[in-house]
Amino acid sequence: MQHFLAAETQQDPLIPTGPELVIGTILFVIVLFVLGRMLIPRITKTLSERTELIEGGLARSQEAQAEAKELLDQYRQQLAEARHEASRLREEAREQGAQIIAEMREQAQAEARRITESAQAQIAAERQQALTSLRAEVGTLATELASRIVGESLTDEARQSRMVDRFLDDLEVAGQ
């Protein structure tokens, strides 16, 4: 039986006794009060500061992202404008090149026509000069020949000129 009494007086170490329970509860309330009055406001303040810091960082990050997107859009727009301008300049250069080529071709053709006309005029002048010189020589030779054949002098200028013209006209008709 003693063994039974010893077992009864020996309580389970995990279950507190009445006075321990009262003291523990009072101490718990005191600790809770101290934590609630001193520690919790500090913790709350620190948490709210961190929250504001994080939210501010997120807001700045979003602002920076929006600004970066805006800059990217501006750069893309500037790039598109630059490409358009480059395309316009290339087209303008092509047109100017084609215009220059056309002007040079026209100048070359005009110069060729001028040279051809000048050469033709020079040839015509030289031909006329040669014909005049030839006509005079043929006239002189024909007059001398006719004087020898006829046996009389044909020095009369009017008669000599008519005879030379008739002779040359006959040659032209025969040559055609």
Side-chain angles (χ1 to χ4, degrees):
M1 199 118 195
Q2 226 177 10
H3 188 351
F4 183 69
L5 277 178
E8 238 180 70
T9 58
Q10 235 184 2
Q11 193 176 1
D12 189 8
L14 293 179
I15 298 176
T17 60
E20 286 178 342
L21 190 59
V22 171
I23 292 174
T25 304
I26 292 171
L27 287 177
F28 178 74
V29 170
I30 291 172
V31 169
L32 188 61
F33 178 75
V34 169
L35 283 178
R37 285 300 247 174
M38 299 174 124
L39 217 51
I40 300 257
R42 288 183 186 168
I43 291 173
T44 305
K45 181 182 174 187
T46 304
L47 287 177
S48 66
E49 287 174 358
R50 283 186 180 176
T51 303
E52 288 175 13
L53 184 66
I54 291 171
E55 287 175 354
L58 286 175
R60 284 191 304 274
S61 170
Q62 288 173 349
E63 287 175 9
Q65 191 173 14
E67 186 178 330
K69 186 177 184 293
E70 185 178 319
L71 284 174
L72 180 63
D73 290 343
Q74 286 177 354
Y75 290 145
R76 284 182 180 165
Q77 182 181 3
Q78 288 174 352
L79 181 62
E81 288 173 1
R83 285 180 180 159
H84 178 70
E85 181 69 16
S87 174
R88 185 187 64 77
L89 289 175
R90 277 193 305 269
E91 188 60 34
E92 194 175 289
R94 279 189 200 118
E95 289 173 3
Q96 287 178 352
Q99 183 179 6
I100 290 170
I101 289 172
E103 288 174 2
M104 294 300 284
R105 185 177 290 136
E106 186 178 317
Q107 287 177 356
Q109 288 173 347
E111 184 68 18
R113 277 193 303 270
R114 187 190 64 75
I115 290 172
T116 303
E117 289 170 0
S118 173
Q120 287 176 348
Q122 187 176 358
I123 289 171
E126 288 176 4
R127 181 175 183 223
Q128 189 63 35
Q129 185 181 5
L131 282 176
T132 304
S133 173
L134 186 60
R135 198 173 275 253
E137 262 187 61
V138 167
T140 306
L141 287 175
T143 306
E144 282 181 28
L145 186 59
S147 294
R148 285 185 189 165
I149 292 176
V150 173
E152 79 180 69
S153 176
L154 299 173
T155 57
D156 181 18
E157 289 290 323
R159 189 187 304 165
Q160 183 181 4
S161 180
R162 281 193 310 265
M163 190 182 335
V164 168
D165 288 339
R166 230 180 322 147
F167 177 72
L168 289 175
D169 288 340
D170 288 345
L171 280 178
E172 284 180 10
V173 169
Q176 291 177 354

